[in-house]
Amino acid sequence: MGTAYYNEIEPYAAQWLRNLITRGLIAPGVVDERSIEDVTPDDLREFTQCHFFAGIGIWSLALRNAGWSDDRPVWSGSCPCQPFSSAGKANGFDDERHLWPAFHHLISECRPPAVFGEQVASKDADPWIDLVQADMEGLGYPFAAVPFPAAGIGAPHIRDRTYWVADSDHAERRSVRTGGNDSGRQDAGWPQGSGD
């Protein structure tokens, strides 16, 4: 059994994951094509890393590129953005693709030490980010989120995304809310330049 678990319902992307694993380009592991709603905490307990809504393994690749070893525990999840994207139906929390509750349930039962995620960055997605922050802080995880445009790394479009992290290994850090930040997201009280 590999160190990583990849959850991806799209067959084409799931096969890409298997190909990338075979070539050693992402963490070794298994690909599960079931809906996250069908995954149980017991399905995940033997894995060091768990990547949900895995696509073609970008989180595994990014973590490796950042120096995060394949045997270091971490979870990641890029929940579907369609419920909160201007390109989607804009059904928000009523959209059947709003799968944060299933992801949150698995996190609350398994308590991974660090969780990374991303979502579309827009005013329509702000309530989603606020929910994720409240849920993660409710589990005792310090939380931080930052919007980031693709154009910032040379892409020919803006395509803003919000990246977030919840890190229980650093429980001494506490999320802060300031009156000057109406969304409540701040730098989680982390020291500037901490590199974490």
Side-chain angles (χ1 to χ4, degrees):
M1 190 63 62
T3 60
Y5 167 89
Y6 299 91
N7 182 254
E8 176 53 56
I9 64 168
E10 294 295 329
Y12 186 78
Q15 187 55 51
W16 263 100
L17 287 166
R18 291 183 186 98
N19 295 343
L20 293 169
I21 291 167
T22 298
R23 294 192 58 205
L25 298 173
I26 59 176
V30 299
V31 179
D32 181 355
E33 294 185 49
R34 293 179 296 161
S35 166
I36 189 172
E37 295 174 306
D38 297 327
V39 177
T40 69
D42 286 339
D43 295 332
L44 308 171
R45 298 204 194 278
E46 67 185 88
F47 296 101
T48 304
Q49 296 189 1
C50 294
H51 303 288
F52 296 88
F53 318 100
I56 58 170
I58 295 301
W59 276 111
S60 179
L61 178 65
L63 288 164
R64 276 184 163 186
N65 286 344
W68 197 289
S69 67
D70 292 345
D71 61 353
R72 184 175 175 190
V74 66
W75 280 26
S76 71
S78 297
C79 290
C81 65
Q82 294 91 338
F84 306 98
S85 170
S86 60
K89 295 178 183 176
N91 288 336
F93 297 114
D94 294 329
D95 193 304
E96 69 274 2
R97 293 167 294 185
H98 168 52
L99 295 172
W100 168 252
F103 191 27
H104 175 249
H105 168 72
L106 294 172
I107 293 167
S108 69
E109 292 295 315
C110 295
R111 300 296 178 118
V115 184
F116 290 93
E118 60 91 23
Q119 180 57 274
V120 63
S122 74
K123 64 178 178 55
D124 295 330
D126 283 349
W128 185 90
I129 293 292
D130 290 340
L131 171 65
V132 173
Q133 178 178 2
D135 285 349
M136 294 306 292
E137 288 179 347
L139 294 174
Y141 287 82
F143 181 93
V146 63
F148 188 82
I153 55 170
H157 54 83
I158 293 178
R159 194 165 189 258
D160 288 334
R161 307 300 291 179
T162 296
Y163 292 89
W164 59 268
V165 61
D167 186 357
S168 70
D169 280 349
H170 295 90
E172 71 278 5
R173 298 174 180 161
R174 294 290 174 234
S175 180
V176 296
R177 290 183 177 263
T178 64
N181 184 350
D182 61 359
S183 69
R185 292 183 300 281
Q186 187 67 354
D187 68 347
W190 295 7
Q192 292 292 69
S194 68
D196 287 332

